[in-house]
Amino acid sequence: MGRFRREAGPVRPVGAATYIGPILRTPEAEQTMHRTEFISTGMYVPERVVTNHELEGYMDTSDEWIRQRSGIEERRWAAEGEGGSDMAKIATERALEAAGMEASELDCLIVATLSPDHFFPGTGVFLQRKLGVTDIPCLDIRNQCTGFLYGLEVADAFIQTGKYRRVLLVGTEVHSSGIVLSTDGRDTAVLFGDGAAVAILGPTEDPDRGVLAVRTHADGRHAEKLWAPAPACVNKPFVTSEMIDAGLTRPHMEGRDVFKHAVTKMPAALIEVLEVAGHTVQELDMVIPHQANMRIAQAVAKGLGIPDDKMYINIQRYGNTTAASIPIALHECIEEGGIRRGDLVGFTAFGSGFTWGGAVVRW
Ligand code: UT7
């Protein structure tokens, strides 16, 4: 592409400029533009632990079926009245403490969720209010399991351009109020869990560190393969008791088809960002995949030749927390010492939409 090279990795001027991700880097701009680093992370999951055995009491399922098909052993359910913004508030306070920052130092909130506190306004403004902050932008992102990576791509662009210096990126979900605890809803009820996690992002002075590449994708031809048909503003009114009785407000999923696409798109997304960043799978120190299904993560690892100890999996404890799953896994992996400064860390996600994406970060 002429004088501009669409490539991340160490900043390399090509002619007068180097095109890195979405940003045009001129020599002048390189004086002021910085990569995005993860300053700190924080997570919160509700206290209530729901085991597979407990679910056996609500529907025709079994601990064995759930473990074998998904790897899930337990998940968390939010308490009555506990919303995504409440969980995100606690996760944010933990991340702020880890960073030695005050909420007032945040410049922008980006909240990824498919289970907002309310139909509108977005969860971001409720979180902002609970954090005691005013007058900073709150952007809600609706990209389901890929939401955190979509949010990372937006945050990265904001930070690279210098528009914002401290971006709070949140993934938070309350699924327990949307699933149906009966045999009719068992295909999804056993998979999803509640939780929240955040990352505080900002510019790094070190040109070799930070987000090297992030790419997101979507294919709306598959929108109804994992969706909640109602509430829906295409209907008047947008929800009725008949829709609820017919199960239209619960998630509907063509599980096998979703699985089939996930095991091809997730590795492809990771390879794409590695190529953009000028790295290989073998160089990865850790991969944080979206926690949809243990078998999906294992298939991705096997297909790419990634050893088990470099593919972080915690789905056993939390189930699928959609937009919160990557930041929860990232936070726990860091806490366990699985990611250290200088490591090359890969991210990959796939989910409803279909949407998918990847990122690679020099920690
Ligand atoms: O977050 C991103 C999006 N989600 C995913 O990535 C999920 C992708 N899909 C999957 O992970 C898997 O397809 C599932 C775990 C959802 C299901 O595993 P599967 O091996 O594809 O099972 P299946 O849907 O083909 O169902 C097999 C059987 C069916 O019974 P019959 O027709 O063989 O008699 C289901 O009715 O298992 C039955 N079944 C259950 N049985 C016990 C479905 N759900 C349950 C359940 N407990 N909870």
Side-chain angles (χ1 to χ4, degrees):
M1 40 163 64
R3 298 189 305 170
F4 306 128
R5 187 189 297 173
R6 187 177 168 77
E7 184 175 293
V11 176
R12 285 187 295 263
V14 177
T18 303
Y19 185 63
I20 295 181
I23 306 299
L24 184 65
R25 284 183 180 266
T26 61
E28 299 74 37
E30 281 187 11
Q31 303 302 314
T32 52
M33 294 171 76
H34 302 285
R35 292 195 194 288
T36 303
E37 72 167 338
F38 284 69
I39 297 169
S40 70
T41 58
M43 70 172 271
Y44 169 82
V45 288
E47 278 174 29
R48 180 159 179 221
V49 177
V50 178
T51 63
N52 293 344
H53 290 296
E54 182 177 340
L55 296 180
E56 288 171 353
Y58 308 134
M59 61 192 77
D60 180 11
T61 192
S62 68
D63 175 55
E64 190 192 1
W65 190 97
I66 301 169
R67 279 177 196 255
Q68 271 185 5
R69 305 283 174 141
S70 70
I72 299 166
E73 297 169 18
E74 58 189 40
R75 73 286 292 141
R76 303 296 180 102
W77 283 358
E80 183 65 38
E82 188 175 33
S85 64
D86 298 304
M87 298 191 301
K89 173 185 181 265
I90 300 171
T92 302
E93 287 168 347
R94 292 174 178 173
L96 286 167
E97 192 182 345
M101 283 173 57
E102 301 291 330
S104 58
E105 294 174 68
L106 297 169
D107 298 325
C108 173
L109 308 190
I110 301 178
V111 179
T113 187
L114 68 73
S115 50
D117 288 4
H118 298 281
F119 216 43
F120 72 89
T123 296
V125 296
F126 293 102
L127 173 60
Q128 187 212 47
R129 190 169 74 191
K130 286 171 186 167
L131 290 171
V133 187
T134 53
D135 213 21
I136 60 168
C138 299
L139 174 64
D140 276 53
I141 292 207
R142 293 286 304 270
N143 290 102
Q144 302 74 243
C145 306
T146 321
F148 193 79
L149 295 185
Y150 270 78
L152 181 63
E153 190 166 39
V154 173
D156 184 41
F158 282 162
I159 290 165
Q160 283 195 58
T161 55
K163 189 171 174 71
Y164 301 117
R165 284 186 60 81
R166 294 287 180 263
V167 178
L168 178 73
L169 176 57
V170 179
T172 186
E173 300 287 8
V174 176
H175 285 295
S176 53
S177 47
I179 53 175
V180 169
L181 298 180
S182 70
T183 301
D184 272 354
R186 68 180 178 177
D187 62 331
T188 48
V190 303
L191 297 179
F192 294 114
D194 302 344
V198 309
I200 298 175
L201 305 165
T204 171
E205 300 295 322
D206 184 342
D208 295 327
R209 290 185 58 244
V211 176
L212 304 182
V214 52
R215 293 284 188 276
T216 52
H217 301 275
D219 186 347
R221 289 175 299 176
H222 304 281
E224 290 85 4
K225 287 182 180 159
L226 176 49
W227 71 319
C233 296
V234 292
N235 299 322
K236 291 184 178 54
F238 58 73
V239 68
T240 61
S241 51
E242 287 76 22
M243 290 178 198
I244 296 170
D245 292 345
L248 297 182
T249 55
R250 72 170 174 83
H252 288 255
M253 178 171 71
E254 292 179 30
R256 292 212 164 176
D257 207 44
V258 175
F259 192 103
K260 197 178 74 190
H261 281 84
V263 295
T264 55
K265 298 294 190 200
M266 285 175 70
L270 194 53
I271 287 171
E272 179 188 20
V273 286
L274 284 166
E275 282 178 3
V276 170
H279 289 288
T280 63
V281 171
Q282 290 69 34
E283 291 175 80
L284 285 168
D285 295 294
M286 185 58 70
V287 177
I288 308 289
H290 164 52
Q291 313 282 314
N293 184 318
M294 176 103 71
R295 290 189 296 147
I296 292 176
Q298 288 167 341
V300 172
K302 195 170 171 208
L304 293 176
I306 297 170
D308 288 351
D309 62 347
K310 289 189 177 180
M311 179 67 90
Y312 189 80
I313 297 176
N314 64 359
I315 194 172
Q316 317 84 286
R317 295 192 288 283
Y318 306 117
N320 180 348
T321 58
T322 53
S325 106
I326 282 185
I328 287 176
L330 173 65
H331 179 80
E332 288 207 328
C333 186
I334 294 168
E335 291 281 293
E336 292 166 18
I339 296 175
R340 294 192 179 80
R341 192 160 174 122
D343 281 354
L344 192 67
V345 182
F347 298 83
T348 180
F350 178 85
S352 162
F354 290 150
T355 57
W356 64 99
V360 62
V361 178
R362 176 67 72 189
W363 213 258

